Amino acid sequence: MKDKASPSAATALLGASEIRRLAEELGIRPTKTLGQNFVIDGNTIRRIVAAAAVDPAETVLEVGPGLGSLTLGLLDAAQRVVAVEIDPVLAARLPQTIAQWRPERAAFCDVLQGDAMRVTELPAEPTALVANLPYNVAVPVVLHLLAHFPSLRHGLVMVQDEVADRLAAPPGSKVYGVPSVKAQWYGKMRKAGVIGMNVFWPAPKIASGLVAFERHEQPKTPASREEVFAVIDAAFSQRRKTLRAALAGWAGSGALAGEALARAGVDPSARGEVLDIHAFARIAEAKQLPQA
Ligand code: SAM
């Protein structure tokens, strides 16, 4: 919040007064529907950029650059930033902000107006995803981008703190659920910190959490991602039921579910919350196997 440096200083970041001025100039009121909570604190931006461990040769994909708080920090750390913003007013203003605050880096920033949940093509191959995500769509955005951009090797996202816990939860934990398992398909997720509410404008009512991830090889299985994800959805749609009962609809009957689970080496009386992604992959495979 104390970033009083002039726009020409190479590391100057947007503070509270710059954010308010920009919003006023654009006549915008941040909307909840688009999760518009803008970071007004340079130290938080520095913390996010440091935690993201971006290499200077990397192309970073940023989702929801908003008024550009994080974009400026990323431009200092990476070779190139590709930013996807759904709000046409914010997307249209961002190149001007970059030109004002980082004129020497302006040629290395692409701003695309669009929905990050639908984007399938980018002007450069991103190797890192770094974003202060719109909270209501954070998980689908992360899963969509990991599925469509295999070049994404690692990343760091800021999400609601409870979503951060869920994404990084290990099997057996209380908050382990669909996002935790699906994220494991792509990589290892790790909680990388908690961020308070007063570094945003407007301030959200809940704390935010940082999640760092490293992509790993996807599970080796003849089942497709869609098939494995269908088992995960079925297992958690009735969280309290045993897997045999929860997967009855998916398998065709409780008996068929029991057989598939036995073939997968999974206890039919267990619950989905104790299984990792590899166990879900084995169950998906077992449905395809000819019955003995
Ligand atoms: N990065 C900025 C910052 O840290 O100050 C803004 C972060 S704000 C939490 C989320 C941003 O995502 C907003 O600018 C919002 O307009 C944008 N947004 C919301 N839904 C989106 C979507 N589906 N695709 C791309 N951008 C989206």
Side-chain angles (χ1 to χ4, degrees):
M1 265 182 261
K2 296 209 166 50
D3 278 285
K4 291 260 162 23
S6 79
S8 58
T11 54
L13 295 166
L14 302 176
S17 48
E18 286 84 17
I19 292 288
R20 288 229 176 81
R21 208 176 307 136
L22 272 169
E24 221 171 85
E25 173 207 307
L26 296 173
I28 56 154
R29 276 167 188 238
T31 78
K32 259 198 185 157
T33 349
L34 292 179
Q36 292 178 336
N37 299 96
F38 304 111
V39 175
I40 54 171
D41 174 41
N43 285 334
T44 301
I45 295 299
R46 286 183 199 100
R47 192 176 153 195
I48 294 173
V49 173
V54 170
D55 184 275
E58 284 195 276
T59 294
V60 173
L61 171 58
E62 184 192 4
V63 170
L67 291 165
S69 308
L70 180 56
T71 321
L72 296 180
L74 290 172
L75 278 170
D76 295 337
Q79 189 186 46
R80 179 169 213 101
V81 175
V82 177
V84 181
E85 170 59 58
I86 201 167
D87 185 323
V89 176
L90 298 181
R93 179 60 166 83
L94 188 55
Q96 198 186 327
T97 304
I98 307 287
Q100 271 174 321
W101 287 70
R102 290 296 186 280
E104 71 289 358
R105 303 290 293 130
F108 299 92
C109 186
D110 302 281
V111 181
L112 313 180
Q113 194 263 311
D115 182 346
M117 274 196 293
R118 288 168 201 277
V119 68
T120 50
E121 264 180 64
L122 293 169
E125 269 202 347
T127 50
L129 168 67
V130 186
N132 170 16
L133 289 173
Y135 289 171
N136 40 358
V137 291
V139 171
V141 164
V142 169
L143 295 178
H144 169 82
L145 294 174
L146 286 171
H148 283 85
F149 299 99
S151 60
L152 286 172
R153 257 189 325 107
H154 71 123
L156 182 106
V157 291
M158 176 147 72
V159 296
Q160 273 179 18
D161 195 38
E162 59 178 272
V163 174
D165 287 336
R166 237 178 280 151
L167 274 170
S173 107
K174 252 195 200 157
V175 292
Y176 189 68
V178 173
S180 339
V181 200
K182 287 187 179 173
Q184 284 174 25
W185 177 271
Y186 303 103
K188 171 112 189 84
M189 306 272 149
R190 169 177 66 80
K191 180 99 181 262
V194 177
I195 304 278
M197 296 163 259
N198 55 5
V199 301
F200 298 94
W201 176 76
K205 291 199 170 67
I206 35 178
S208 303
L210 301 178
V211 179
F213 68 85
E214 292 282 337
R215 192 186 280 270
H216 54 208
E217 250 186 72
Q218 65 183 52
K220 288 196 179 9
T221 169
S224 68
R225 182 183 67 223
E226 289 75 12
E227 285 162 344
V228 178
F229 281 17
V231 185
I232 298 167
D233 288 330
F236 284 96
S237 66
Q238 304 178 68
R239 225 189 143 89
R240 295 192 157 175
K241 292 200 174 168
T242 62
L243 282 164
R244 187 182 187 281
L247 296 181
W250 163 83
S253 73
L256 288 171
E259 285 167 22
L261 287 160
R263 281 200 297 277
V266 173
D267 176 0
S269 66
R271 289 178 172 73
E273 61 215 46
V274 300
L275 302 186
D276 67 7
I277 188 69
H278 301 285
F280 280 107
R282 289 202 309 277
I283 300 171
E285 275 168 46
K287 190 181 180 188
Q288 302 168 345
L289 292 174
Q291 289 173 33

